[in-house]
Protein backbone atom coordinates (compact mmCIF):
# COMPACT_ATOMS: atom_id res chain seq x y z
CA UNK A 1 0.00 0.00 0.00
CA UNK A 2 1.35 3.41 -0.98
CA UNK A 3 0.71 6.35 1.30
CA UNK A 4 -0.17 9.71 -0.17
CA UNK A 5 0.30 12.41 2.47
CA UNK A 6 -0.65 15.14 0.00
CA UNK A 7 -4.30 14.32 0.71
CA UNK A 8 -3.80 15.71 4.22
CA UNK A 9 -2.95 19.14 2.81
CA UNK A 10 -6.07 19.02 0.66
CA UNK A 11 -8.25 17.94 3.59
CA UNK A 12 -6.65 20.28 6.15
CA UNK A 13 -9.16 23.16 5.80
CA UNK A 14 -12.07 20.81 6.55
CA UNK A 15 -10.18 19.20 9.43
CA UNK A 16 -9.34 22.58 10.93
CA UNK A 17 -12.99 23.62 10.65
CA UNK A 18 -13.92 20.48 12.57
CA UNK A 19 -11.20 21.21 15.13
CA UNK A 20 -12.61 24.70 15.65
CA UNK A 21 -16.04 23.25 16.42
CA UNK A 22 -14.42 20.77 18.80
CA UNK A 23 -12.68 23.61 20.64
CA UNK A 24 -15.84 25.73 20.82
CA UNK A 25 -17.90 22.84 22.22
CA UNK A 26 -15.17 22.01 24.74
CA UNK A 27 -14.69 25.63 25.87
CA UNK A 28 -18.38 26.39 26.34
CA UNK A 29 -19.09 22.99 27.86
CA UNK A 30 -16.15 23.07 30.26
CA UNK A 31 -16.90 26.63 31.35
CA UNK A 32 -20.46 25.59 32.18
CA UNK A 33 -19.28 22.29 33.63
CA UNK A 34 -16.84 24.08 35.94
CA UNK A 35 -19.65 26.31 37.23
CA UNK A 36 -21.99 23.34 37.73
CA UNK A 37 -19.22 21.27 39.29
CA UNK A 38 -18.13 24.02 41.68
CA UNK A 39 -21.74 24.53 42.80
CA UNK A 40 -22.36 20.80 43.23
CA UNK A 41 -19.05 20.42 45.09
CA UNK A 42 -20.02 23.21 47.48
CA UNK A 43 -23.40 21.56 48.03
CA UNK A 44 -21.66 18.27 48.82
CA UNK A 45 -19.52 19.92 51.50
CA UNK A 46 -21.60 22.80 52.86
CA UNK A 47 -25.09 22.25 51.51
CA UNK A 48 -26.76 20.44 54.37
CA UNK A 49 -28.78 17.25 54.08
CA UNK A 50 -31.09 18.16 51.18
CA UNK A 51 -28.63 19.94 48.87
CA UNK A 52 -25.97 17.32 49.63
CA UNK A 53 -28.39 14.54 48.70
CA UNK A 54 -29.38 16.26 45.43
CA UNK A 55 -25.74 16.82 44.47
CA UNK A 56 -24.87 13.23 45.45
CA UNK A 57 -27.60 11.76 43.22
CA UNK A 58 -26.56 14.00 40.31
CA UNK A 59 -22.91 12.97 40.60
CA UNK A 60 -23.64 9.27 40.96
CA UNK A 61 -26.13 9.13 38.07
CA UNK A 62 -23.86 10.98 35.64
CA UNK A 63 -20.67 9.20 36.63
CA UNK A 64 -22.48 5.87 36.50
CA UNK A 65 -23.70 6.22 32.92
CA UNK A 66 -21.69 6.51 29.69
CA UNK A 67 -21.43 9.93 28.08
CA UNK A 68 -22.62 8.41 24.80
CA UNK A 69 -25.87 7.35 26.46
CA UNK A 70 -26.24 10.82 27.98
CA UNK A 71 -25.89 12.66 24.68
CA UNK A 72 -28.23 10.21 22.94
CA UNK A 73 -30.82 10.78 25.67
CA UNK A 74 -30.46 14.57 25.41
CA UNK A 75 -30.73 14.60 21.62
CA UNK A 76 -33.28 11.83 20.96
CA UNK A 77 -35.27 11.21 24.17
CA UNK A 78 -35.46 14.61 25.85
CA UNK A 79 -37.28 16.30 22.91
CA UNK A 80 -39.98 13.64 23.17
CA UNK A 81 -40.42 14.30 26.88
CA UNK A 82 -40.59 18.11 26.75
CA UNK A 83 -41.75 18.57 23.14
CA UNK A 84 -38.87 20.74 21.95
CA UNK A 85 -36.29 20.50 19.20
CA UNK A 86 -32.68 20.37 20.36
CA UNK A 87 -29.94 21.32 17.92
CA UNK A 88 -27.04 18.79 17.71
CA UNK A 89 -24.53 21.49 18.71
CA UNK A 90 -26.61 22.47 21.74
CA UNK A 91 -27.06 18.83 22.71
CA UNK A 92 -23.30 18.37 22.57
CA UNK A 93 -22.65 21.41 24.78
CA UNK A 94 -25.28 20.32 27.31
CA UNK A 95 -23.73 16.84 27.43
CA UNK A 96 -20.27 18.25 28.15
CA UNK A 97 -21.66 20.57 30.84
CA UNK A 98 -23.58 17.82 32.60
CA UNK A 99 -20.91 15.13 32.26
CA UNK A 100 -17.87 17.21 33.17
CA UNK A 101 -19.79 18.93 35.95
CA UNK A 102 -20.27 15.65 37.80
CA UNK A 103 -16.56 14.83 37.76
CA UNK A 104 -15.54 18.41 38.55
CA UNK A 105 -17.92 18.36 41.53
CA UNK A 106 -15.92 15.54 43.08
CA UNK A 107 -12.67 17.37 42.31
CA UNK A 108 -13.90 20.45 44.17
CA UNK A 109 -15.34 18.39 47.01
CA UNK A 110 -12.09 16.55 47.63
CA UNK A 111 -10.10 19.80 47.40
CA UNK A 112 -12.33 21.55 49.93
CA UNK A 113 -12.16 18.60 52.32
CA UNK A 114 -8.36 18.45 52.00
CA UNK A 115 -7.92 21.90 53.57
CA UNK A 116 -7.01 21.70 57.25
CA UNK A 117 -10.10 22.29 59.40
CA UNK A 118 -7.93 24.36 61.72
CA UNK A 119 -7.90 27.15 59.14
CA UNK A 120 -11.69 27.27 59.12
CA UNK A 121 -11.84 27.20 62.89
CA UNK A 122 -9.25 29.96 63.12
CA UNK A 123 -11.21 32.16 60.73
CA UNK A 124 -14.44 31.61 62.64
CA UNK A 125 -12.63 32.29 65.92
CA UNK A 126 -11.52 35.66 64.54
CA UNK A 127 -15.14 36.56 63.96
CA UNK A 128 -15.23 36.02 60.19
CA UNK A 129 -18.58 34.82 58.80
CA UNK A 130 -18.63 31.38 57.21
CA UNK A 131 -18.91 32.69 53.64
CA UNK A 132 -15.90 34.92 54.17
CA UNK A 133 -13.83 32.04 55.53
CA UNK A 134 -14.74 30.10 52.39
CA UNK A 135 -13.94 32.89 49.91
CA UNK A 136 -10.84 34.29 51.63
CA UNK A 137 -9.23 31.30 53.33
CA UNK A 138 -10.43 27.87 52.22
CA UNK A 139 -11.41 28.72 48.63
CA UNK A 140 -8.06 30.10 47.39
CA UNK A 141 -6.15 27.15 48.83
CA UNK A 142 -8.62 24.62 47.40
CA UNK A 143 -8.51 26.33 44.00
CA UNK A 144 -4.77 25.71 43.74
CA UNK A 145 -5.24 22.04 44.54
CA UNK A 146 -7.87 21.46 41.86
CA UNK A 147 -5.68 22.60 38.96
CA UNK A 148 -4.00 19.26 38.17
CA UNK A 149 -7.13 17.06 38.35
CA UNK A 150 -9.17 19.78 36.65
CA UNK A 151 -6.67 19.83 33.79
CA UNK A 152 -7.00 16.08 33.39
CA UNK A 153 -10.77 16.39 33.22
CA UNK A 154 -10.51 19.12 30.59
CA UNK A 155 -8.32 16.88 28.42
CA UNK A 156 -10.73 13.96 28.80
CA UNK A 157 -13.67 16.18 27.85
CA UNK A 158 -11.90 17.43 24.72
CA UNK A 159 -11.37 13.85 23.57
CA UNK A 160 -14.94 12.92 24.50
CA UNK A 161 -16.26 15.42 21.95
CA UNK A 162 -15.48 12.76 19.35
CA UNK A 163 -18.55 10.89 20.64
CA UNK A 164 -20.80 13.57 19.18
CA UNK A 165 -20.28 12.05 15.74
CA UNK A 166 -23.34 9.91 16.56
CA UNK A 167 -25.67 12.94 16.51
CA UNK A 168 -24.12 14.56 13.45
CA UNK A 169 -22.10 17.35 15.04
CA UNK A 170 -19.47 18.48 12.53
CA UNK A 171 -16.55 18.21 14.97
CA UNK A 172 -13.09 16.92 14.16
CA UNK A 173 -13.84 13.19 14.13
CA UNK A 174 -16.93 13.70 11.99
CA UNK A 175 -14.91 15.80 9.55
CA UNK A 176 -12.29 13.07 9.34
CA UNK A 177 -14.92 10.41 8.70
CA UNK A 178 -16.57 12.39 5.90
CA UNK A 179 -13.24 13.10 4.20
CA UNK A 180 -12.14 9.48 4.49
CA UNK A 181 -15.45 8.33 3.01
CA UNK A 182 -14.71 10.32 -0.15
CA UNK A 183 -11.02 9.54 -0.72
CA UNK A 184 -10.64 6.24 1.20
CA UNK A 185 -7.24 7.36 2.58
CA UNK A 186 -7.85 6.04 6.09
CA UNK A 187 -4.22 5.98 7.26
CA UNK A 188 -3.44 9.53 6.22
CA UNK A 189 -6.72 11.11 7.35
CA UNK A 190 -6.98 9.41 10.73
CA UNK A 191 -3.30 10.13 11.38
CA UNK A 192 -3.99 13.82 10.72
CA UNK A 193 -7.03 13.72 13.01
CA UNK A 194 -4.93 12.14 15.78
CA UNK A 195 -2.22 14.79 15.38
CA UNK A 196 -4.77 17.59 15.66
CA UNK A 197 -6.16 16.08 18.87
CA UNK A 198 -2.61 15.78 20.21
CA UNK A 199 -1.95 19.43 19.40
CA UNK A 200 -5.11 20.56 21.21
CA UNK A 201 -4.49 18.46 24.31
CA UNK A 202 -0.77 19.27 24.24
CA UNK A 203 -1.38 23.02 24.22
CA UNK A 204 -3.87 22.65 27.07
CA UNK A 205 -1.43 20.52 29.08
CA UNK A 206 1.31 23.13 28.60
CA UNK A 207 -0.94 25.99 29.72
CA UNK A 208 -2.04 24.02 32.78
CA UNK A 209 1.57 23.20 33.74
CA UNK A 210 2.51 26.87 33.49
CA UNK A 211 -0.49 27.90 35.59
CA UNK A 212 0.19 25.17 38.13
CA UNK A 213 3.78 26.30 38.58
CA UNK A 214 2.64 29.86 39.18
CA UNK A 215 0.10 28.75 41.79
CA UNK A 216 2.07 25.88 43.30
CA UNK A 217 1.35 25.09 46.93
CA UNK A 218 4.66 24.60 48.75
Amino acid sequence: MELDWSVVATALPELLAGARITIVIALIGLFGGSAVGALAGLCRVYGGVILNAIAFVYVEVIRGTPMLVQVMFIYFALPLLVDIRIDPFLAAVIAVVINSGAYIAEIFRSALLSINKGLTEAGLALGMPGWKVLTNVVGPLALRRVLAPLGNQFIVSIKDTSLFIVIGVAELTRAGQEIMATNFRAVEIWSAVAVLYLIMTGVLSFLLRVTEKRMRVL
Side-chain angles (χ1 to χ4, degrees):
M1 174 183 176
E2 291 186 7
L3 299 180
D4 181 12
W5 295 104
S6 65
V7 300
V8 174
T10 304
L12 195 57
E14 292 182 58
L15 292 176
L16 290 176
R20 282 195 295 272
I21 294 176
T22 292
I23 292 172
V24 171
I25 292 173
L27 286 177
I28 299 174
L30 289 171
F31 181 81
S34 296
V36 170
L39 180 61
L42 287 171
C43 290
R44 293 279 283 124
V45 178
Y46 301 109
V49 177
I50 296 177
L51 291 178
N52 181 26
I54 294 173
F56 174 78
V57 171
Y58 159 65
V59 169
E60 292 302 310
V61 169
I62 298 302
R63 293 202 307 168
T65 54
M67 189 178 188
L68 182 60
V69 173
Q70 294 164 16
V71 72
M72 296 282 274
F73 183 89
I74 293 170
Y75 185 66
F76 292 109
L78 189 59
L80 298 177
L81 295 175
V82 296
D83 194 26
I84 60 172
R85 170 68 177 170
I86 299 180
D87 180 79
F89 181 87
L90 179 60
V93 171
I94 294 173
V96 175
V97 171
I98 293 174
N99 185 270
S100 64
Y103 290 93
I104 292 172
E106 287 300 285
I107 292 172
F108 274 98
R109 183 184 71 87
S110 60
L112 290 169
L113 293 177
S114 71
I115 304 301
N116 194 315
K117 290 184 178 180
L119 295 174
T120 302
E121 294 169 356
L124 295 174
L126 291 172
M128 296 173 67
W131 66 269
K132 204 165 187 178
V133 173
L134 176 61
T135 57
N136 292 354
V137 180
V138 177
L141 292 174
L143 186 60
R144 295 181 180 186
R145 297 186 178 184
V146 304
L147 282 179
L150 203 58
N152 290 335
Q153 180 57 45
F154 284 2
I155 290 172
V156 169
S157 294
I158 288 176
K159 294 186 294 183
D160 281 348
T161 58
S162 62
L163 296 173
F164 302 142
I165 188 175
V166 299
I167 59 172
V169 177
E171 43 73 52
L172 179 55
T173 301
R174 175 81 175 192
Q177 183 192 49
E178 290 179 350
I179 295 168
M180 193 273 294
T182 59
N183 61 21
F184 303 102
R185 309 302 300 190
V187 175
E188 297 90 334
I189 297 302
W190 289 122
S191 296
V193 169
V195 168
L196 288 174
Y197 275 114
L198 283 171
I199 291 172
M200 289 188 287
T201 57
V203 170
L204 179 59
S205 296
F206 173 76
L207 293 175
L208 289 168
R209 281 196 298 270
V210 171
T211 305
E212 190 176 359
K213 286 180 180 179
R214 289 180 177 272
M215 300 181 65
R216 181 173 295 164
V217 179
L218 299 178

